Amino acid sequence: MNDTSFTNIQRLEKLIQASVSPYHCIQNAESQLSNAGFLPLGLSEKWGDKIKAGGSYYVKAFDSTLFAFSIGEDFSDASSIRIASAHTDWPCLKLKPSPEIFSEGYCKLNAEIYGGAILSSWLDRPLSIAGKVCLKSEDPFQPKTIFTDFQRPLLTIPSLPIHLNKKVNEGIALNPQTDMLPILSMVTDGLEKDGCFLKLLAAQIGEEPDDILDYELFIYNCEEGALLGIDREFYSSPRLDNLTSVQAALDGIITGRRRNGLNMIALFDNEEIGSFTKQGAGTALAERVLEKIYSSFGYENSLNDALFNGFLLSMDVAHAVHPNHSEKYDPKNKVAPGDGVAIKMAARQSYATDSRSVSVIEGLCRKEHIPYKKFSNRSDIPGGSTLGAIASGLLNMPAADIGVPVLAMHSAREVMGTADQAALSSLCRAFFC
């Protein structure tokens, strides 16, 4: 592993450790942007007297989505738009209201599955809780919001021993309601059954239990990342999908500059559950942010042309070929850890890529000597999709889907090639120049 790869993995690791919920991911992105000189904007405020050519800005939307953009010094109504997108969420477990469930002397927490998680990968791991808590305030329409992270192993979901389930190694279906409830505590005389989690949460945030109105709390794997392999060629960590792309997008927008154009990153929430939310890629949110930018310069009638002449880089991880199950992959168009950037292609347009957009990405990679490889799924195993097709369809922009190859996608812990993060970040930098 060379110094460039190690530096990029270190930067990624800092983001992963900080991003224990989509809200914390946005907070870390905000910190990186602020340190780079980007100025904050309010989503519902007027921007006309706040933004100018040559400036760099960011705006948060509903706490878990963020847009950052830099405006060229020669920005005009003929300027084009380049957008790099990624998502801030990942498959996990999410707490329900009134979560305490008592059974056989244990206090468990009632949780539901968020996204397409590999449930077995969450068993027997140290888990913690992070997210958003809303409290009462003088104005009911403006509840007080606190972001919290317990920052320590707090929960676990134990497997049933093989002695009690002789067929466990033959594969077992896990029921989300009965098998995936994490243990919080043993019931003791000192544990108050009535609202014990709410009391724990209130103590964590320094508020009164009666003041808590609601919460959005996620259960996350609190294990740290690790370098693996003889030459440390692999990196194993939670949340590689899709924080690899988030960090690459931040690297690109912070360093990339164009004199005549608008550069933007869009970090959307809720990709893992379909993107069709107010903070997801499947709505008019991105277009409305662009409308605010263009109208601030008096270019309202030019936005459509800028979109048609623009380009959307949709970034999400790709399936690295599995060493024990190569039969699950296309016989020719497969990628492995260390191959660099994967350009993802699908006839059904689950990946928003066509021959022209592929050529754009290939041209950038060749010009900048960035390793890359094309990827397609097996014809009889269509694989997943990304927000690229959704966002490019709404914005009517040419688009390409790319990402780093990972093993164990949607597991509580995934594996990537150490060098691939540097390749993805390099492509993002080139994209914005």
Side-chain angles (χ1 to χ4, degrees), residues 30 32-40 56-58 68-70 253-255 257:
E30 182 180 11
Q32 291 190 50
L33 292 164
S34 180
N35 290 337
F38 283 66
L39 301 177
S56 298
Y57 310 91
Y58 68 88
F69 56 94
S70 59
I253 196 69
I254 286 171
T255 58
R257 288 289 186 273

Side-chain angles (χ1 to χ4, degrees), residues 161-226:
I162 191 171
H163 313 78
L164 306 181
N165 183 7
K166 301 295 186 182
K167 296 184 178 181
V168 65
N169 290 325
E170 298 176 17
I172 180 171
L174 294 171
N175 184 291
Q177 186 61 63
T178 58
D179 296 317
M180 299 303 297
L181 303 187
I183 297 171
L184 174 66
S185 178
M186 296 301 295
V187 178
T188 64
D189 291 339
L191 182 70
E192 298 180 48
K193 286 190 175 183
D194 186 19
C196 66
F197 176 74
L198 206 62
K199 292 181 174 65
L200 175 67
L201 179 61
Q204 168 69 20
I205 63 176
E207 300 285 345
E208 293 298 321
D210 288 345
D211 290 339
I212 296 175
L213 300 174
D214 201 10
Y215 53 73
E216 289 185 80
L217 295 173
F218 299 88
I219 296 172
Y220 70 91
N221 179 6
C222 54
E223 294 173 320
E224 294 184 355

Side-chain angles (χ1 to χ4, degrees), residues 228-369:
L228 309 175
I230 292 176
D231 295 319
R232 299 188 296 178
E233 63 266 42
F234 303 114
Y235 179 61
S236 167
S237 175
R239 303 183 288 283
L240 294 180
D241 178 7
N242 189 30
L243 295 182
T244 52
S245 301
V246 170
Q247 187 58 58
L250 289 166
D251 291 342
I253 196 69
I254 286 171
T255 58
R257 288 289 186 273
R258 289 192 298 146
R259 290 192 63 85
N260 183 11
L262 177 72
N263 288 344
M264 173 183 282
I265 63 170
L267 308 180
F268 291 108
D269 193 8
N270 299 143
E271 190 273 347
E272 298 293 357
I273 56 172
S275 294
F276 296 101
T277 65
K278 65 184 182 304
Q279 60 266 30
T283 68
L285 179 59
E287 186 174 7
R288 286 177 175 169
V289 170
L290 289 168
E291 286 173 349
K292 287 176 71 72
I293 297 170
Y294 272 70
S295 64
S296 297
F297 288 90
Y299 299 157
E300 295 95 331
N301 297 327
S302 303
L303 177 56
N304 287 340
D305 294 338
L307 290 169
F308 294 145
N309 291 322
F311 200 97
L312 172 66
L313 192 64
S314 169
M315 297 191 295
D316 204 346
V317 293
H319 292 290
V321 62
H322 196 288
N324 302 328
H325 295 283
S326 60
E327 76 281 358
K328 295 290 187 180
Y329 301 80
D330 186 81
K332 296 205 65 172
N333 301 295
K334 49 195 171 189
V335 293
D339 279 344
V341 176
I343 302 175
K344 303 191 289 183
M345 306 172 68
R348 67 189 182 107
Q349 286 292 286
S350 51
Y351 306 134
T353 311
D354 58 27
S355 59
R356 186 182 184 281
S357 60
V358 166
S359 299
V360 170
I361 303 306
E362 284 193 274
L364 284 173
C365 287
R366 292 185 180 188
K367 180 181 178 181
E368 301 297 328
H369 306 288

Side-chain angles (χ1 to χ4, degrees), residues 97-118:
S98 303
E100 303 94 343
I101 293 179
F102 298 93
S103 173
E104 302 298 335
Y106 295 96
C107 175
K108 303 182 293 185
L109 294 183
N110 194 11
E112 58 186 317
I113 309 303
Y114 178 93
I118 300 177

